[in-house]
DNA sequence: AGGTGTGAACGTATTCACAGCG
DNA sequence: CGCTGTGAATACGTTCACACCT
């Protein structure tokens, strides 16, 4: 039916609807990929929570206490961690700083990632000005737009570049992560060109299901769908 | 461990980590709630895709063709729809317009929902100016902020109100849906006050796991976590 | 005693495969 | 004959419960 499928774009499905033939090849091959993506998606929350505890001076935490903060079960945390090794001390719990660093390392957050942003409309502007990316391991390295009025403009010491040279700049700068904040109609094309430049992970804000090769990971940010699914549960006259 | 848990805030888990004791009471009770939340979360994408096909003049579509557009399996679409009834014609497929309308009705998208937005920083501003909510059944009805410089300002014919009267205004205006775009430190407090005013669905942009009663649905929008989980798969060097 | 790490049990979601309808 | 709708089979994810460590 389709030649390309979204990979790990698991906003909607529990498991990747990936045909066996398109087996992913993310980084290392072999025994890896036994770890469910849903586990990987929970790890950032663990890191964030552990860092928060650490900042509040809490040096040690049990899986039960951590579960309470995050809103999952203690068994789930222990099971998730067991995919990667043994991080706790029996009878004691986990060292918050140590565990945060260990998970961050697993996620490759122990370095800074340069990110390419496509689209400098309302959303792109908000993303550019957002202060939360830098401390989370991400630096907006380049911004692209189609609008000639925007091109050449300077923001945060970043010059907005023409969309036309997106592939080339991404390749030249060796960027592996892209954020798509362009109108829906241009999203697929932008994704294709990012991937051609070497991007292997895409954060997609456009309300479009991107078709990408198996080596590329996509996550959708879709506030409209989120709202539209919540209305199912809201009792209108309440 | 915790008195309140997030409900259906299933950004991370497959199934709601809901203790049986806190059984949800979303709208109608009884035989309902047999339908998995993950199915509900897929429906908006079906609607969006069907409407897109309709606009392109395509009046009929098979589950297989629709699956191709969305990137799921045909069996999943048929199974999902089967929770709600029979919408197709054997040997023919589905009428795009009819099915879009049917699902929209299931999701209660056949009306306009008034939404309260808390936070008028970078993100809140972008949300206010976003043109995608209105055609998707959502109208930003009120905007709240703490910053006295912002309060009183007018945007799109909306006056920015003081955060102090959030609960009262939401109650007075009978608003059931809130969007949280305040700093992480104020997110829980804002959620509590929205809920006190009558809000039953929250779209949370703050990087915080909200604790809410079971009758409230929460969805997280967390771009940082999304990025941080994708780096796991990215092969840094080439 | 307190709490991890993990086999085994369980529950949930997806996919298969086909009867049956138009 | 093509395609839906759905029982049955399978795959996957979560939770239980406890051996084991400190």
């Amino acid at each position: 039916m389709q030649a390309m499928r979204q990979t790990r774009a698991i906003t909607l499905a529990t498991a990747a609807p990936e045909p066996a033939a398109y087996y992913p090849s993310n980084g290392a091959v072999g025994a890896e990929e036994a770890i469910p993506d849903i586990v990987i998606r929970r790890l950032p929350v663990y890191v964030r929570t552990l860092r928060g505890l650490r900042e509040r001076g809490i040096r040690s935490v049990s899986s039960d206490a951590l579960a309470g903060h995050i809103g999952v079960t203690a068994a789930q945390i222990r099971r998730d961690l067991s995919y990667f090794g043994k991080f706790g001390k029996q009878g004691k719990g986990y060292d918050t700083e140590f565990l945060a660093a260990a998970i961050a390392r697993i996620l490759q957050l122990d370095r800074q990632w340069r990110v390419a942003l496509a689209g400098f409309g309302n959303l792109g502007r908000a993303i550019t000005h957002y202060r939360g990316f830098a401390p989370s391991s991400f630096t907006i390295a380049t911004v692209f737009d189609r609008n000639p009025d925007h091109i050449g403009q300077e923001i945060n010491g970043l010059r907005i570049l023409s969309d036309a040279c997106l592939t080339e700049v991404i390749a030249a700068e060796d960027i592996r992560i892209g954020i798509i904040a362009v109108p829906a109609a241009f999203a697929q094309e932008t994704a294709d060109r990012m991937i051609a430049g070497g991007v292997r992970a895409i954060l997609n804000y456009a309300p479009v299901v991107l078709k990408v090769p198996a080596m590329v990971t996509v996550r959708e940010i879709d506030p409209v769908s989120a709202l539209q699914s919540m209305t199912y549960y809201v009792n209108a006259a309440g």
Side-chain angles (χ1 to χ4, degrees), chain A residues 111-217:
Chain A
R111 52 162 289 195
Q112 204 66 12
W113 293 86
R114 293 158 54 75
V115 176
L117 169 65
F120 196 67
N122 276 322
L123 183 56
R125 248 183 295 271
I127 292 169
T128 308
H129 292 115
Y130 181 52
R131 301 270 157 217
F133 288 125
S136 306
S137 304
F138 302 96
T139 309
I140 308 285
T142 58
V143 182
F144 298 94
D145 203 274
R146 308 201 141 229
N147 186 161
D149 297 348
H150 292 156
I151 296 167
Q153 223 178 291
E154 202 158 316
I155 288 89
N156 291 354
L158 273 176
R159 187 171 298 277
I160 295 175
L161 305 177
S162 166
D163 180 72
C165 42
L166 186 143
T167 302
E168 290 68 25
V169 173
I170 285 175
E173 303 244 337
D174 203 37
I175 288 171
R176 304 239 98 80
I177 302 177
I179 301 180
I180 292 182
V182 303
F186 300 117
Q188 182 63 58
E189 172 201 330
T190 302
D192 294 343
R193 290 166 53 217
M194 281 183 167
I195 294 164
V199 159
R200 293 296 172 262
I202 295 176
L203 187 64
N204 178 32
Y205 281 87
V208 167
V209 180
L210 298 177
K211 304 292 166 69
V212 303
M215 95 244 267
V216 179
T217 310

Side-chain angles (χ1 to χ4, degrees), chain A residues 19-107:
Chain A
Y22 287 75
Y23 211 76
S25 57
N26 301 288
V29 212
E32 202 215 8
E33 187 57 29
I35 298 159
D37 182 69
I38 192 151
V39 171
I40 301 299
R41 294 209 320 274
R42 278 192 289 261
L43 298 184
V45 180
Y46 297 170
V47 174
R48 194 177 73 202
T49 308
L50 288 162
R51 286 177 176 167
L53 291 171
R54 184 68 254 290
E55 272 160 33
R56 286 196 270 150
I58 297 164
R59 297 193 156 270
S60 184
V61 71
S62 68
S63 60
D64 195 50
L66 185 57
H69 287 286
I70 296 175
V72 299
T73 65
Q76 181 158 79
I77 291 178
R78 295 203 302 273
R79 168 72 64 204
D80 285 354
L81 295 178
S82 77
Y83 284 105
F84 304 98
K86 302 181 180 193
F87 303 95
K89 300 191 204 312
Q90 280 99 335
K92 189 72 202 309
Y94 302 92
D95 181 284
T96 50
E97 184 160 24
F98 172 75
L99 184 55
I103 303 174
R105 200 167 146 61
I106 290 163
L107 292 174

